[in-house]
Amino acid sequence: MDVPAAGMKGPVQQGCTLIRHLTDEYDDYRHDESRSQGEAQSISFPTTEDEVRAVLRELHPSHTPVTVQGARTGLAAGAVPHGGHVLNLSRMNRCLGLRRDDGGAFVLRLQPGVILSELRKYLKAKAIPASGWDAASLQALGELREAPEQMFPTDPTEASACLGGMAACNASGARSYRYGPMRPHVVSLRLALADGDMLALRRGEVVACGRHLELATELGRRISLDLPGYTMPRAKNASGYYVHEGMDAIDLVIGSDGTLGVITELEVALMPVPPVMWGVSCFFADERQALDATCGLRDGVASAAAIEYFDPASLDILRVQRERSTAFSALPLLADDARCCVYVELHCGDEREALDALDRVGKVLRDAGGSEAATWVARTELDRESLQFFRHAVPESVNMLIDERRRTDPAITKLGSDMSVPDERLHDVMRLYRETLAEAGLESAAWGHIGDNHLHVNVLPRDMDDYRRGKELFGAWAREVTAMGGAVSAEHGVGKLKRDFLKTMYGEQGLRDMARVKLAFDPAGQLGRGNLFDESLLEGGA
C-alpha cells in the first residue's frame, strides 16, 4: 500500500477506517517532549487490542513503518514518527481487571494508555473503574477496598506518562533506588507483532536456555533467536535490549523502545503504601560533602527509598525563580550558605523505625561535614507535597530559562544527559562532569537520582556554539562512562537521540546483534524504525 501524502482528508484505506491521514490537526503527534519533530503520512487511535491488530494487518503487506505512541512524554524521541504511520494508544486507557497472586499481592490488568497520575488517583481512592469486569475481578476489588492503601512504586517525574510507554522504555524515577525500575513490577503483557499476530508473555513461563529463546505466537509462528552477547552494566540501565543468560522472555520486551511489538495489555503488581513516609532535605556547603553523604546514606540508612541531588546551579536557578515568578513564590526560602542539597525519602513500618532512620541520617550528615540544623524534615503528606514541589521546580525552571533563550535563537534546546555508573565511581564521574564542563566554558545544572549514581547533567546553551560543544561533550562522557562500567541511558531509553551513545556502549557488533533480535520479531523492520539503531542495520537481514 502506498500511503497517501499528508494533508489529504478521510481514511487512508477503505479496508480499515481507523487509519486517517495525518493532517495539520494532528501536528502534535509529530513530536514528543524531546522537542524533536518527525513526519508521518497516517495516524490511528485504536481503543482495543482487536483494533490495533486490524491496523497492523492493514499496514503489514506494504511494510509501512509504524511508530507507537502513548502520552508522548519521552525525552529520547522514541515516539517521534519516522515516516509511515503513527499508532497512538492514548485512547486505550481502561483498567481491565484485578486479581491476587499466590502471595496475596494485588495485580492490576490494564491497557497501555492508562496514565500514571490517574492510576495513583484510583489507588488512593480505592475506586478503580471496573466497567465490564468479571466476577473474580470484582471480588478482588472488594478485597482491595478493605486492604491497606496500595501503590504502584515506579515514579517517573512526569506523572502524565502512560503505563505502556513506561514499560516500553523501562521507566524508573526517584524511588527506583529502593524498588527498581518498571521491569520487575510487570507480571505479564500481550504484544501485537507487526503482522497482527499476538505474543502472550507471563513472568516465569518462558525463559532463555543460556542465551537462546524460543517463543510461540497465538497463530502458531515460532520465534527462535539468539540473544546479544554483550554484558549488562553494573549500573541503573535503560540502554538497548536487556539480556542475560537464562533470562525471562518478558524482560526482553520491557525497555525495547517499541521496536519488537505493540504492548496492548499489561499486568502490574501493586504493593501496600508504607505506613510511614518521611522526606529529609539535607543542605551542604560544597558538593564533595554531598557526595560523601550519599555514600553514607547508602551504607547506613536501610529504609531510604530515594536519594536525590540538586547542585549549586540548580539551587541558584530556584532562588532567581522564587524572586521573579509568582508561580514559584511558594518555594521555601533557601539559606545563603545552602550550596547543594541531598534529599532522602524514608519508607518505614512505623514511627519508631522512622525516628531511628532519622537519627542515622543525622549521623551521616555530621560525618560528611554537614549540619542537622540545615535540614528540612517532612513528616506529613502536606509537607512532602511542598518538598515535591521544590524537587519538580528545578527541571521546570530550567525549561523556562531555555524557552527565554529560544526567543533569541529558536534553534536552541536544552541538552540533558541520562548516564549512570557503578557505586564506586560516583566521585569519579562527578569529577569528569565538573572538569570537562569548566574546560568547555559551558553553563550547566545537575540534579537527579544520585543514590543510583544517575544524575541529569543539563547543559544550558546560550547560543548554537554552546549547543554544538555540549553535544560533543556528551559524546565524550558516553565513552568515559562506558569505560567506568556505566550506562549511557539510565531511565529515558535510547529512542532516536542516543543511538550513537548506544554504539559507544555496545559496539557495532552489539548493535548488529540487537538488529537480528528485532528482525526475529519483526522481519520487515516496520516497528519503531530509527529507534536504538540506524535502519540500515535492518537491510538484508542485518
Side-chain angles (χ1 to χ4, degrees):
M1 177 187 73
D2 292 327
V3 181
M8 298 176 65
K9 295 183 179 180
V12 170
Q13 275 217 11
Q14 296 302 315
C16 184
T17 57
L18 293 164
I19 299 175
R20 316 249 348 146
H21 288 289
L22 203 152
T23 56
D24 291 346
E25 66 182 298
Y26 300 118
D27 269 351
D28 281 350
Y29 300 95
R30 304 180 200 270
H31 64 84
D32 63 9
E33 281 299 310
S34 70
R35 303 196 181 192
S36 301
Q37 189 82 4
E39 192 52 75
Q41 288 69 52
S42 62
I43 191 168
S44 61
F45 297 91
T47 60
T48 66
E49 181 181 284
D50 284 345
E51 290 182 350
V52 170
R53 298 180 72 182
V55 171
L56 292 173
R57 284 195 296 264
E58 188 73 25
L59 299 175
H60 182 62
S62 61
H63 296 168
T64 300
V66 177
T67 299
V68 186
Q69 290 182 347
R72 295 177 292 114
T73 60
L75 297 173
V80 174
H82 193 57
H85 182 77
V86 170
L87 185 65
N88 186 283
L89 307 182
S90 59
R91 298 180 190 177
M92 294 180 68
N93 57 4
R94 293 178 55 235
C95 296
L96 301 174
L98 184 71
R99 64 180 177 87
R100 303 191 81 161
D101 66 14
D102 292 341
F106 290 98
V107 178
L108 180 63
R109 184 165 61 92
L110 39 77
Q111 290 183 308
V114 172
I115 299 297
L116 177 61
S117 60
E118 292 298 307
L119 175 59
R120 289 173 174 171
K121 290 176 185 176
Y122 299 155
L123 295 177
K124 187 171 184 61
K126 297 187 177 182
I128 303 172
S131 175
W133 283 19
D134 60 21
S137 290
L138 292 173
Q139 179 180 336
L141 182 58
E143 294 171 1
L144 180 135
R145 291 179 179 137
E146 299 300 319
E149 182 184 339
Q150 301 290 302
M151 72 175 190
F152 183 66
T154 308
D155 67 328
T157 300
E158 186 48 78
S160 63
C162 65
L163 273 290
M166 289 167 58
C169 71
N170 190 34
S172 53
R175 291 174 179 169
S176 66
Y177 173 73
R178 178 166 186 153
Y179 300 112
M182 180 81 171
R183 180 171 285 114
H185 306 291
V186 178
V187 176
S188 73
L189 57 80
R190 290 180 60 78
L191 192 73
L193 302 179
D195 60 359
D197 199 352
M198 294 299 301
L199 190 63
L201 296 173
R202 182 172 296 278
R203 188 168 297 282
E205 288 188 353
V206 181
V207 298
C209 179
R211 293 208 175 212
H212 183 78
L213 264 177
E214 293 281 344
L215 303 168
T217 71
E218 291 186 346
L219 295 180
R221 174 158 77 95
R222 304 294 300 182
I223 299 176
S224 178
L225 60 100
D226 291 319
L227 298 169
Y230 52 72
T231 301
M232 305 302 291
R234 293 185 300 104
K236 186 178 179 183
N237 181 33
S239 310
Y241 297 150
Y242 177 86
V243 297
H244 63 79
E245 293 192 7
M247 70 176 290
D248 197 303
I250 196 173
D251 290 333
L252 177 64
V253 174
I254 300 166
S256 60
D257 258 342
T259 60
L260 302 181
V262 182
I263 297 173
T264 61
E265 182 181 303
L266 64 164
E267 282 190 312
V268 296
L270 308 178
M271 62 178 58
V273 172
V276 179
M277 299 168 64
W278 288 359
V280 188
S281 294
C282 313
F283 295 94
F284 297 93
D286 64 62
E287 190 164 77
R288 177 64 186 232
Q289 292 176 338
L291 299 183
D292 290 344
T294 297
C295 297
L297 290 168
R298 285 197 297 231
D299 292 339
V301 184
S303 56
I307 306 175
E308 300 285 286
Y309 180 60
F310 307 93
D311 79 343
S314 299
L315 297 192
D316 285 343
I317 289 171
L318 286 185
R319 289 183 173 98
V320 171
Q321 285 290 73
R322 188 179 185 277
E323 295 300 319
R324 290 177 53 183
S325 173
T326 56
F328 293 89
S329 60
L331 284 170
L333 182 64
L334 293 167
D336 292 339
D337 60 352
R339 298 309 306 150
C340 50
C341 174
V342 174
Y343 170 83
V344 56
E345 186 169 286
L346 306 173
H347 288 189
C348 302
D350 54 40
E351 192 159 310
R352 180 177 179 180
E353 180 186 339
L355 287 169
D356 179 66
L358 193 59
D359 284 343
R360 291 175 182 272
V361 172
K363 181 180 185 307
V364 168
L365 283 177
R366 293 191 299 272
D367 290 347
S371 167
E372 292 173 79
T375 60
W376 300 339
V377 180
R379 291 181 170 87
T380 67
E381 185 173 357
L382 184 62
D383 288 342
R384 288 198 307 275
E385 287 176 357
S386 176
L387 290 191
Q388 188 175 56
F389 174 53
F390 173 82
R391 291 164 57 200
H392 291 179
V394 175
E396 185 177 347
S397 298
V398 166
N399 288 337
M400 291 171 66
L401 174 65
I402 293 298
D403 285 342
E404 284 183 22
R405 294 178 180 179
R406 284 170 59 86
R407 296 190 187 105
T408 303
D409 188 343
I412 289 176
T413 62
K414 178 186 73 174
L415 290 168
S417 71
D418 183 40
M419 303 180 191
S420 62
V421 294
D423 284 355
E424 67 271 13
R425 303 309 295 267
L426 175 60
H427 286 75
D428 296 331
V429 79
M430 289 301 295
R431 188 179 308 111
L432 169 71
Y433 294 150
R434 294 309 178 198
E435 290 178 355
T436 54
L437 285 165
E439 289 169 3
L442 293 171
E443 184 179 349
S444 69
W447 62 84
H449 318 308
I450 197 169
D452 287 317
N453 316 293
H454 168 212
L455 289 175
H456 301 299
V457 184
N458 290 261
V459 170
L460 313 178
R462 293 156 293 200
D463 52 38
M464 286 308 296
D465 184 56
D466 275 5
Y467 183 83
R468 175 187 57 78
R469 289 185 293 119
K471 290 193 74 171
E472 291 174 354
L473 191 58
F474 280 15
W477 288 353
R479 292 189 292 273
E480 293 295 328
V481 163
T482 297
M484 292 181 190
V488 296
S489 178
E491 68 177 350
H492 293 160
V494 173
K496 298 174 180 66
L497 297 185
K498 301 176 185 176
R499 295 182 315 195
D500 290 345
F501 297 167
L502 197 65
K503 183 177 180 180
T504 297
M505 184 172 169
Y506 292 136
E508 181 74 23
Q509 187 58 51
L511 296 191
R512 290 189 178 278
D513 288 348
M514 279 192 280
R516 275 192 280 272
V517 168
K518 173 179 172 52
L519 289 170
F521 281 79
D522 176 17
Q526 288 178 258
L527 301 175
R529 288 186 75 92
N531 287 354
L532 299 184
F533 36 75
D534 191 271
E535 58 193 300
S536 64
L537 291 180
L538 303 176
E539 305 300 332

